[in-house]
Amino acid sequence: SDAVNSFTLDGDVRWISRDDRISTMNSTTILKNAGVETTTQWFDGQKYTLSCDTLIQMLQALEIYALTCYNVTEEHKAAVNALTTIEEVDAYDYTTDYPEKLSFDV
């Protein structure tokens, strides 16, 4: 959900899906290995020109963030499934343990 699937880039809220993160990492790595120093990333028609190294670092951080969020969500789901009463479910706080959202300034 948007509660976790977002980050801030120069003050704007953004997200890159898993498939797009993988594809962008692959193409950016290919560009870097070919000696290209910068690449372009688009969000809602807004162009960002970034160094390949910067974009790779961002994508790595996003992947770690997304994986951590996924694991926390799965832990919450398992915990809720183990609860036995409506009161326990109502009292359960599924918003805990998520990492702080990422923010990038480029």
Side-chain angles (χ1 to χ4, degrees), residues 4-62:
V4 292
N5 288 349
S6 65
F7 64 93
T8 304
L9 178 61
D10 286 344
D12 295 318
V13 176
R14 306 290 188 201
W15 187 241
I16 303 173
S17 70
R18 182 179 189 275
D19 289 344
D20 287 345
R21 287 193 307 272
I22 292 168
S23 175
T24 303
M25 177 65 86
N26 184 48
S27 61
T28 305
T29 300
I30 290 169
L31 288 170
K32 179 181 174 178
N33 290 341
V36 177
E37 293 185 16
T38 62
T39 187
T40 301
Q41 181 69 41
W42 291 90
F43 291 102
D44 301 323
Q46 185 170 354
K47 178 181 177 180
Y48 291 85
T49 302
L50 306 166
S51 76
C52 290
D53 286 335
T54 296
L55 185 53
I56 288 169
Q57 290 170 357
M58 286 175 56
L59 292 166
Q60 288 173 337
L62 283 170

Side-chain angles (χ1 to χ4, degrees), residues 40-105:
T40 301
Q41 181 69 41
W42 291 90
F43 291 102
D44 301 323
Q46 185 170 354
K47 178 181 177 180
Y48 291 85
T49 302
L50 306 166
S51 76
C52 290
D53 286 335
T54 296
L55 185 53
I56 288 169
Q57 290 170 357
M58 286 175 56
L59 292 166
Q60 288 173 337
L62 283 170
E63 189 62 27
I64 292 166
Y65 171 82
L67 181 59
T68 302
C69 288
Y70 173 80
N71 287 331
V72 170
T73 297
E74 291 302 310
E75 290 285 343
H76 284 307
K77 287 165 61 175
V80 168
N81 286 332
L83 300 176
T84 58
T85 68
I86 292 172
E87 293 78 18
E88 288 175 324
V89 173
D90 286 342
Y92 187 83
D93 185 0
Y94 59 87
T95 64
T96 62
D97 300 324
Y98 285 97
E100 187 173 327
K101 288 186 179 185
L102 299 175
S103 181
F104 302 100
D105 293 311

